[in-house]
Amino acid sequence: MGTQGGGIAVDAVRELRNRGIDAHLTIAGIPKEKLPKDVADLDYVTCVGFLNKNKTEEYHKYVELFHKSHILILPTKAECSAIVYSEAANFGTPCYTHLTGGTGNYVIDGINGRTIPLGVTGKDFAKAIEHDIHSGLLPKMHEGALQLAHEKLSWEAWSNRFRGLCESLHFS
């Protein structure tokens, strides 16, 4: 399912369910008709298709997905800085992703999610998620995500850093 690691996400949720965790996966960003039939037929997978955040109704659906989600699984195999990590942080949603490209700048291991090495399986993602659920770390990562969003991953934080840079270079 492409470079975003959709197959790993499906396998992770399947493994969580095998371990007794009532996990469900909502897939966004892929047209429903491109979702493999064997995945589309799973009763614990819902595909909402591609959502255009520039369209009011679809933007509201996107926001609703974050309000209903406990975590974001994006086991991307090639990513430098997905805006979705910042969006997730602003909703307090911990992220589970591969440590590739610049993802470690947005997902700080143990603070607002987990960065997991490339080459692992959905079972490895499930193991990390299960650990964080049972250890009580997941609510702490929710708080960590909100704090990171406020300090680093919001437009306001970016604007303040950029303004400071300009002032230090005497561009003001």
Side-chain angles (χ1 to χ4, degrees):
M1 288 179 26
T3 61
Q4 298 306 316
I8 293 172
V10 172
D11 290 344
V13 172
R14 179 181 297 119
E15 180 65 18
L16 287 168
R17 293 176 67 82
N18 289 343
R19 293 171 179 230
I21 296 171
D22 186 21
H24 299 267
L25 179 65
T26 300
I27 300 172
I30 180 174
K32 292 179 183 181
E33 60 274 4
K34 290 195 175 188
L35 193 67
K37 183 163 176 28
D38 62 322
V39 173
D41 289 344
L42 297 171
D43 63 348
Y44 53 88
V45 173
T46 302
C47 182
V48 297
F50 178 80
L51 298 174
N52 182 342
K53 294 180 280 185
N54 294 316
K55 295 182 179 178
T56 302
E57 184 177 315
E58 293 181 34
Y59 170 77
H60 289 296
K61 178 70 174 174
Y62 187 76
V63 169
E64 180 184 341
L65 288 175
F66 272 111
H67 283 296
K68 290 181 176 180
S69 298
H70 295 96
I71 64 171
L72 171 72
I73 302 175
L74 183 61
T76 182
K77 298 173 188 171
E79 188 65 61
C80 58
S81 64
I83 191 85
V84 73
Y85 299 129
S86 296
E87 292 169 336
N90 278 278
F91 284 98
T93 306
C95 299
Y96 290 77
T97 188
H98 280 127
L99 183 56
T100 179
T103 58
N105 293 320
Y106 299 88
V107 180
I108 313 300
D109 198 54
I111 301 297
N112 68 321
R114 292 279 177 212
T115 52
I116 300 170
L118 282 168
V120 300
T121 66
K123 286 184 179 185
D124 297 306
F125 272 81
K127 182 178 176 182
I129 294 166
E130 181 183 38
H131 171 270
D132 293 343
I133 290 170
H134 293 314
S135 71
L137 189 57
L138 202 57
K140 291 177 184 172
M141 287 194 294
H142 165 79
E143 294 301 322
L146 292 172
Q147 183 175 351
L148 189 63
H150 175 74
E151 294 173 359
K152 183 180 175 186
L153 301 178
S154 69
W155 285 115
E156 182 180 359
W158 178 87
S159 175
N160 290 338
R161 284 193 314 276
F162 185 72
R163 185 180 311 108
L165 176 64
C166 289
E167 289 171 357
S168 73
L169 299 173
H170 307 291
F171 287 154
S172 54

